[in-house]
Amino acid sequence: MTQSQPIPVFTLYGETAVFPDVVHCERFSARAPIHDWRIAAHRHSHMAQVFLIEEGQVAAQVDGQDLSLGDGTFLFVPAQAAHEFVFRPDTGGLVVSVPQSVVRTIGPAQQDILAALLQPLHGAASPRLQNLLAMLDDIAGPAHPFRDQMAVGLVHAALAEVAAGA
């Protein structure tokens, strides 16, 4: 990351409009190919993200730490953390974007889990985390009844799994 230039702040990458959803889930293939599989340094002021790399390779940098992520790994990026990515073309996976208002409502025993979710986390994605994120991906369309409530419940479970497993 180049520190001489200010790091832009986005809602979703490249966007500054109001966050579009209670929880946003999208496949890497929706945005990364448009940017030639490179996502430049940026941050999100009011949003955390969970990345699941299903297959492929991602070189990431989060707050100056270089990471190499491959098949079956996850990365959690807290709000305000500067991050950038270079994906091997055709890397498969998804990113779940979670507003801080949703992160903060996780409970019970909020303080322990919220403290864990203040830092970047990464590692092997447990089968449980993979299943929770797959369910989030499955209900991503707006047509599902009670979609918002299901999304919040699933993302809270996924965040708990991330915090416990890292």
Side-chain angles (χ1 to χ4, degrees), residues 9 18 22 30 38 48 64 71 74-75 81 118 126 128 134-135 140 145 152 165:
V9 176
V18 175
V22 63
R38 294 177 158 298
D71 297 357
F74 77 90
L75 170 65
L118 287 176
S126 68
R128 183 179 298 120
M135 286 189 284
V152 169

Side-chain angles (χ1 to χ4, degrees), residues 77-154:
V77 178
Q80 297 294 338
H83 53 288
E84 65 182 294
F85 305 99
V86 177
F87 295 84
R88 187 182 75 205
D90 299 319
T91 293
L94 56 93
V95 57
V96 177
S97 301
V98 187
Q100 281 301 101
S101 59
V102 173
V103 173
R104 283 191 301 266
T105 61
I106 198 168
Q110 276 186 309
Q111 296 314 310
D112 291 345
I113 194 166
L114 289 176
L117 296 174
L118 287 176
Q119 59 192 348
L121 303 168
H122 61 92
S126 68
R128 183 179 298 120
L129 179 60
Q130 292 178 43
N131 289 334
L132 289 164
L133 296 179
M135 286 189 284
L136 269 167
D137 189 33
D138 184 52
I139 63 160
H144 197 287
F146 305 112
R147 177 210 171 270
D148 291 353
Q149 293 80 2
M150 290 180 71
V152 169
L154 288 167

Side-chain angles (χ1 to χ4, degrees), residues 39-60:
I39 303 297
H42 66 285
R43 68 178 79 231
H44 307 285
S45 60
H46 301 293
M47 180 179 76
Q49 293 182 304
V50 179
F51 296 82
L52 175 65
I53 296 82
E54 295 167 329
E55 60 182 353
Q57 192 71 28
V58 181

Side-chain angles (χ1 to χ4, degrees), residues 14-79:
E15 299 177 17
T16 56
V18 175
F19 189 75
D21 208 344
V22 63
V23 172
H24 183 78
C25 184
E26 87 180 20
R27 309 289 307 170
F28 296 157
S29 59
R31 201 170 299 250
I34 297 166
H35 299 283
D36 197 27
W37 296 93
R38 294 177 158 298
I39 303 297
H42 66 285
R43 68 178 79 231
H44 307 285
S45 60
H46 301 293
M47 180 179 76
Q49 293 182 304
V50 179
F51 296 82
L52 175 65
I53 296 82
E54 295 167 329
E55 60 182 353
Q57 192 71 28
V58 181
Q61 190 176 79
V62 182
D63 280 347
Q65 180 182 8
D66 291 323
L67 303 170
S68 180
L69 305 166
D71 297 357
T73 59
F74 77 90
L75 170 65
F76 172 77
V77 178

